[in-house]
Amino acid sequence: MTGTGDEPFIAAVKPLVDAMGGEIIAPDEAGPEDVVLSWEGADVVAVRLPQLADSLDHILAAMERRKGKPLADLDRKAKQEVVRILEARGAFSVRHGVETVASALGVSRFTVYNYLNREKGA
């Protein structure tokens, strides 16, 4: 996939690709929706971006890992913080985003909307 001098570049972009739920692929395997990254005039790697819905699932899983327990087990204040972070990341612009987040938090859609309204009113 890469030349010998490309490893530092790939190592540098990999955490970002992983954080957004993308996949690193060879530049010659890139399709029209993939992003090809060049370094010093040569195509080094391509990034296959996730679908938005898959990205939300990836973000929720990463938040769970960071918290060290299922999001449903968090207290109310921590769940409100999760909703605030997800709103900032655009999670609720994804189709069924509220339902997906509500399910992960173990709360109703109504509760998620209350958390969102609380943030807007604060």
Side-chain angles (χ1 to χ4, degrees):
M1 167 172 25
T2 62
T4 56
D6 301 332
E7 288 80 11
F9 178 79
I10 294 169
V13 299
K14 187 172 181 348
L16 176 62
V17 173
D18 290 346
M20 63 187 194
E23 177 186 358
I24 292 178
I25 60 175
D28 59 351
E29 295 175 12
E33 301 298 317
D34 298 324
V35 179
V36 177
L37 303 177
S38 299
W39 184 252
E40 297 180 348
D43 293 344
V44 176
V45 70
V47 177
R48 181 155 293 153
L49 300 172
Q51 298 297 313
L52 283 176
D54 295 338
S55 186
L56 179 54
D57 290 338
H58 184 81
I59 291 166
L60 288 167
M63 291 181 94
E64 232 173 47
R65 283 191 304 276
R66 237 177 279 129
K67 299 287 185 184
K69 59 181 165 181
L71 298 178
D73 293 347
L74 299 174
D75 63 25
R76 184 175 53 83
K77 185 176 179 179
K79 287 178 182 181
Q80 289 171 337
E81 177 189 350
V82 166
V83 168
R84 183 177 42 73
I85 291 167
L86 290 171
E87 182 180 29
R89 295 188 72 179
F92 301 110
S93 63
V94 175
R95 185 174 181 187
H96 302 297
V98 171
E99 292 86 348
T100 301
V101 171
S103 177
L105 292 175
V107 300
S108 69
R109 288 179 18 217
F110 180 75
T111 298
V112 172
Y113 284 119
N114 279 339
Y115 292 168
L116 290 167
N117 289 335
R118 172 178 285 239
E119 285 301 314
K120 288 182 174 86

